[in-house]
């Protein structure tokens, strides 16, 4: 190897070698970072305060002000919320209601979005318009016919009635998400399955629905949040049977006639938030992929 080749090889190494030095960032970037961190701190602070209040005493909640560090950790608040507040039963009821509601909503909205995205039929645009129009109807306006219909079905004062009421709504956002995502999937996949003899349900459950995994994760998170935190419908459906209450309705157990057990309520709120945070951390990547895929389509 000649000296020229050696120098050329060393030069290529120098070019390929990454530049190690301080990366200069503009002052505007640092300012934007500090501004976003400030907004994040303001946004997160109430949740951190609830977590702190859950281990404080009744008087300290008021005397400590905005301080986050308690003088003494009162872990009995959690046992009082779990046992005295009957939150063990409420948690089981909420898990059952949420699980069945999410399953029904995913299947129903996925099939509706698939049909609206892939099939052309008379009145299709009208159906989509009606669905979008229902987004502007407050949920409280439909509570009376929902209760009346559920009572005629004999499902009032039961967890089944709560599931039917929560899962039987329009869930327009979920339908539109599936509709946008299915519209972007190549039709060749369906045609190949049809040529192999697959019917509608086979194509949907074995081809299309597995491909819509990111949207399904998004719908699961959104429906889980809405169902887990639902208050009005579970309150109406379990008003005469406290044993069927969900966590959101069970919070009222800490509100007395003359006082409110704030530390107990904070502990109960913390217990109810843990499953939501865990689910979002587990599905956050798919959640954002589903939103981006549906919007892009």
């Amino acid at each position: 190897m000649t000296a020229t080749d050696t120098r050329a090889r060393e030069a290529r190494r120098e070019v390929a070698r990454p530049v190690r030095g301080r990366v200069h960032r503009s002052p505007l970037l640092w300012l934007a970072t500090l501004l976003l961190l400030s907004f994040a701190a303001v946004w997160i602070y109430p949740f951190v305060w609830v977590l702190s209040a859950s281990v404080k005493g009744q008087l300290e909640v008021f005397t400590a002000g905005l301080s986050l560090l308690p003088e003494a950790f009162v872990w009995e608040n959690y046992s009082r919320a779990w046992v005295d507040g009957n939150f063990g039963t409420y948690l089981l009821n909420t898990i059952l209601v949420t699980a069945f509601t999410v399953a029904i909503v995913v299947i129903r909205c996925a099939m509706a979005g698939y049909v609206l995205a892939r099939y052309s039929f008379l009145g299709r645009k009208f159906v989509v318009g009606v669905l979008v129009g229902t987004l502007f109807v407050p949920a409280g306006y439909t509570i009376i016919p929902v209760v009346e219909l559920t009572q005629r079905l004999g499902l009032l004062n039961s967890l089944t009635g709560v599931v039917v009421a929560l899962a039987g709504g329009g869930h327009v956002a979920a339908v539109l998400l599936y509709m946008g995502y299915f519209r972007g999937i190549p039709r060749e996949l369906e045609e190949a399955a049809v040529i192999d003899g697959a019917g509608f349900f086979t194509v949907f459950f074995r081809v299309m629905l597995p491909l819509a995994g990111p949207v399904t994760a998004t719908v699961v998170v959104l429906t889980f949040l809405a169902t887990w935190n639902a208050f009005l419908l579970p309150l109406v459906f379990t008003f005469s049977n406290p044993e069927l209450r969900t966590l959101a309705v069970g919070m009222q157990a800490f509100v007395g006639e003359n006082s409110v057990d704030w530390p107990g309520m904070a502990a109960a709120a913390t217990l109810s938030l843990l499953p939501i945070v865990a689910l979002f951390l587990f599905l956050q990547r798919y959640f954002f992929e589903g939103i981006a895929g549906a919007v892009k389509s």
Side-chain angles (χ1 to χ4, degrees):
M1 181 179 294
T2 64
T4 303
D5 294 335
T6 302
R7 286 194 297 270
R9 187 174 62 178
E10 291 177 355
R12 287 194 296 268
R13 288 179 179 176
E14 289 294 330
V15 173
R17 184 178 301 168
V19 179
R20 296 182 180 178
R22 177 175 294 180
V23 178
H24 297 283
R25 300 182 184 275
S26 65
L28 289 178
L29 183 60
W30 285 111
L31 181 61
T33 303
L34 292 175
L35 186 63
L36 291 176
L37 287 176
S38 301
F39 279 121
V42 173
W43 182 267
I44 295 175
Y45 180 82
F47 300 99
V48 179
W49 187 89
V50 169
L51 181 63
S52 173
S54 67
V55 291
K56 291 181 179 179
Q58 179 74 8
L59 294 178
E60 189 180 356
V61 171
F62 299 97
T63 58
L66 299 179
S67 175
L68 297 178
L69 188 63
E71 297 178 358
F73 290 88
V74 185
W75 299 107
E76 290 79 7
N77 295 331
Y78 285 91
S79 62
R80 188 168 70 256
W82 188 263
V83 179
D84 298 342
N86 203 22
F87 257 59
T89 302
Y90 299 160
L91 178 62
L92 179 60
N93 294 339
T94 308
I95 291 175
L96 292 175
V97 169
T98 304
F100 283 103
T101 301
V102 169
I104 294 173
V105 169
V106 166
I107 298 299
R108 187 172 59 83
C109 294
M111 296 185 71
Y114 174 63
V115 171
L116 291 174
R118 291 306 210 188
Y119 291 86
S120 297
F121 53 89
L122 184 63
R124 174 179 169 274
K125 293 184 178 180
F126 176 76
V127 172
V128 175
V130 171
L131 286 175
V132 174
T134 58
L135 287 173
F136 303 97
V137 179
Y141 283 13
T142 60
I143 186 67
I144 295 178
V146 169
V147 172
E148 180 68 21
L149 180 60
T150 309
Q151 186 175 10
R152 293 189 179 186
L153 292 174
L155 299 177
L156 201 61
N157 295 322
S158 67
L159 292 181
T160 304
V162 177
V163 172
V164 171
L166 291 174
H171 298 281
V172 182
V175 174
L176 295 179
L177 283 173
Y178 274 114
M179 180 180 171
Y181 198 87
F182 284 135
R183 187 176 294 172
I185 297 178
R187 289 186 176 272
E188 288 77 6
L189 298 175
E190 294 172 276
E191 294 172 355
V194 172
I195 291 174
D196 291 338
F200 173 85
F201 291 102
T202 303
V203 172
F204 174 75
F205 284 106
R206 299 189 63 178
V207 178
M208 302 302 291
L209 189 59
L211 292 174
V215 174
T216 300
T218 303
V219 173
V220 166
V221 172
L222 294 177
T223 308
F224 186 96
L225 289 173
T227 307
W228 192 272
N229 297 318
F231 177 78
L232 182 58
L233 280 174
L235 174 65
V236 173
F237 278 76
T238 62
F239 185 78
S240 60
N241 194 346
E243 291 296 323
L244 299 179
R245 289 175 177 171
T246 59
L247 288 173
V249 180
M251 291 285 182
Q252 296 298 312
F254 297 96
V255 180
E257 184 177 353
N258 299 314
S259 63
V260 179
D261 184 0
W262 293 110
M265 182 177 290
T270 303
L271 291 174
S272 64
L273 285 173
L274 291 179
I276 298 177
V277 175
L279 179 70
F280 181 77
L281 292 178
F282 181 72
L283 296 177
Q284 61 176 335
R285 180 169 67 90
Y286 303 100
F287 177 81
F288 293 116
E289 287 181 2
I291 292 290
V295 172
K296 181 176 65 176
S297 300

